[in-house]
Amino acid sequence: MTISLAKTSTRNASLREIVDILREQQPRKADIITPAQSIRAEGGRLIVNGADYDYDITPDGVTRKAAELRLTGVAESGLAEKLGIPVGYLRKTRVEAPELWDQNVNGWLTHESREAKSYMIRTLRPGQGEDTGTARAFLSASYRIIDNLDILTAALRGVYDAGVQVRLDSCDLTDQKMYIRVVADEVRAYAPELLRNYRSPFTEARGSDNPTVFAGFEISNSETGCGAFTIVPRLVVQVCDNGMTITKDAMKSVHIGGRQADGVIQWSGNTQDRTLDLVTSQTADAVRTFLDHDYILRQIRDIEDKAGARITDPEKAITTVSQRLRFSEAVRADVFSHFIRGADLSAGGVMHAVTSVAQTLPDADEAHELESLGIRAMELAASL
């Protein structure tokens, strides 16, 4: 019987939907610091002994229960990395020989016990109708927690403090990250050179008829060790909603802290307050910097300097760019299709094709990664 993975994701949600999900999860979160000797694998799940995680109340009194946890794909990858098990092999055993999954995990946990290693397991206690908790991440004991709901609240406060009118474009929540896209409709510029030959593959609207680009930025955070808290500027093309992320200007705050004591963690208010004050301040700085008319004009000009390079052999160009950026064959085919439908036979057309395909991907992590490569794809195409 195949071991199934837990999953907690939503795509293209509203702010209200994201907030509701995060509020439901918040009281169920528990972060366990535990030595390897207190962890075992059983039936494709992790059993953690000795943590103040849950209790049974019986006529004989209160008995501490072991935490029984299903793993997300992120937690399984973290477990493999920390124990030195090739993640591809561990996934293969889960699908094809589940008993080997337990044997491998238990064997290497026994080895780690001799090394006196401890780990942080980020969990969700069982929700309504669930018989087990969820292991969302398997991390080092020095991981510094910055939770999504706190990040979102602090970031929105930073936007308010900066005094610029914005709208929340859309939100994604995956096992890896939370993504919040912010757009300022009042901060706009024209990009006639960038859009004069472009046609939306979705509506066939022409960029020459409406060459408007809006300023914005994207906030991302990982609660599960999959990246820093990041604010990255993002330009949005009105005619097709393609996003261009300016990764070189990203602001980041990493999740590394001091070694924590074993047990279920209760973070101090002072520690959390200092972290969230920094997030609020960074967001306000990002708003003032990225939602600025002169800033987006400079970015548009920089992009237009490379976007005009002509593409004489579209198939070869798309194939070369796809190989260098390690696109899958399916993504390469989609990018080529969008490039032809976009009718802009230039390096800028390659960028538009990459970012429009990103909008169509159902996996939010893949979509955001692909969009972030749009400008790099243009630069590679221009150099061919």
Side-chain angles (χ1 to χ4, degrees):
M1 177 174 159
T2 300
I3 300 168
S4 62
L5 294 174
K7 193 169 180 65
T8 52
S9 301
T10 188
R11 178 87 164 102
N12 289 325
S14 68
L15 177 61
R16 172 50 54 194
E17 289 169 327
I18 288 290
V19 169
D20 286 346
I21 292 169
L22 296 179
R23 282 179 173 168
E24 187 277 332
Q25 289 180 353
Q26 199 70 12
R28 295 170 51 208
K29 290 178 180 177
D31 301 308
I32 304 170
I33 299 289
T34 188
Q37 67 192 41
S38 297
I39 311 170
R40 72 179 189 277
E42 185 178 298
R45 299 178 179 184
L46 291 183
I47 311 298
V48 183
N49 294 311
D52 294 331
Y53 187 80
D54 203 359
Y55 298 88
D56 271 336
I57 300 176
T58 69
D60 297 325
V62 177
T63 304
R64 179 185 294 173
K65 294 171 61 177
E68 183 178 350
L69 305 168
R70 292 179 62 202
L71 281 75
T72 64
V74 171
E76 184 180 51
S77 295
L79 179 69
E81 190 268 327
K82 295 303 179 190
L83 298 184
I85 305 172
V87 66
Y89 168 75
L90 195 61
R91 288 172 177 161
K92 180 180 176 69
T93 63
R94 171 168 46 80
V95 174
E96 299 181 14
E99 69 282 359
L100 290 180
W101 194 95
D102 287 354
Q103 291 173 19
N104 276 274
V105 172
N106 284 327
W108 285 104
L109 282 171
T110 299
H111 174 77
E112 297 295 87
S113 295
R114 293 196 295 269
E115 301 292 324
K117 295 257 183 97
S118 288
Y119 301 101
M120 176 189 288
I121 307 176
R122 300 219 69 188
T123 78
L124 290 175
R125 290 187 171 93
Q128 187 173 6
E130 296 177 340
D131 59 354
T132 67
T134 299
R136 302 188 298 141
F138 196 91
L139 302 161
S140 74
S142 60
Y143 184 78
R144 180 164 63 92
I145 294 168
I146 312 179
D147 275 341
N148 286 333
L149 184 58
D150 295 331
I151 285 285
L152 180 56
T153 302
L156 293 178
R157 189 167 67 242
V159 170
Y160 177 81
D161 289 348
V164 178
Q165 290 296 314
V166 302
R167 60 181 168 89
L168 275 294
D169 188 23
S170 63
C171 312
D172 294 324
L173 184 66
T174 75
D175 292 338
Q176 295 187 36
K177 289 186 177 183
M178 174 185 71
Y179 306 91
I180 307 294
R181 289 175 293 278
V182 175
V183 178
D185 292 326
E186 66 185 49
V187 185
R188 63 179 71 186
Y190 292 112
E193 289 301 312
L194 179 63
L195 298 170
R196 63 189 174 94
N197 295 318
Y198 181 61
R199 183 174 62 206
S200 169
F202 306 116
T203 66
E204 297 191 354
R206 294 185 177 276
S208 57
D209 296 330
N210 186 6
T212 305
V213 176
F214 298 119
F217 59 89
E218 180 181 86
I219 297 166
S220 64
N221 183 59
S222 178
E223 297 184 333
T224 56
C226 298
F229 161 65
T230 304
I231 306 171
V232 60
R234 183 174 183 263
L235 306 181
V236 180
V237 179
Q238 185 176 24
V239 74
C240 57
D241 286 333
N242 288 352
M244 297 173 282
T245 51
I246 317 297
T247 55
K248 64 182 177 63
D249 289 342
M251 298 179 178
K252 295 184 178 182
S253 178
V254 298
H255 294 249
I256 300 297
R259 173 69 168 82
Q260 306 297 329
D262 293 347
V264 175
I265 302 170
Q266 299 294 327
W267 298 95
S268 75
N270 287 339
T271 298
Q272 294 289 61
D273 288 346
R274 286 195 301 271
T275 297
L276 297 177
D277 285 346
L278 177 60
V279 169
T280 300
S281 175
Q282 286 180 322
T283 305
D285 289 344
V287 170
R288 297 184 187 101
T289 301
F290 302 149
L291 304 188
D292 175 78
H293 189 260
D294 290 339
Y295 175 82
I296 66 169
L297 280 177
R298 289 196 302 273
Q299 303 312 311
I300 290 171
R301 300 300 170 253
D302 287 348
I303 292 169
E304 287 180 335
D305 283 346
K306 299 181 180 69
R310 305 308 298 169
I311 302 298
T312 57
D313 188 339
E315 187 169 8
K316 180 180 178 181
I318 297 298
T319 297
T320 301
V321 168
S322 298
Q323 289 173 344
R324 293 188 184 179
L325 297 181
R326 300 184 179 181
F327 295 166
S328 68
E329 175 55 29
V331 168
R332 184 210 64 81
D334 285 346
V335 169
F336 182 71
S337 174
H338 278 234
F339 180 77
I340 298 302
R341 286 154 57 193
D344 183 353
L345 302 182
S346 69
V350 175
M351 177 186 68
H352 294 312
V354 170
T355 55
S356 62
V357 168
Q359 293 188 60
T360 71
L361 298 181
D363 185 289
D365 295 311
E366 292 180 8
H368 287 264
E369 175 65 20
L370 185 61
E371 182 181 289
S372 74
L373 294 172
I375 291 177
R376 180 60 181 146
M378 177 194 68
E379 293 170 343
L380 287 172
S383 70
L384 295 177

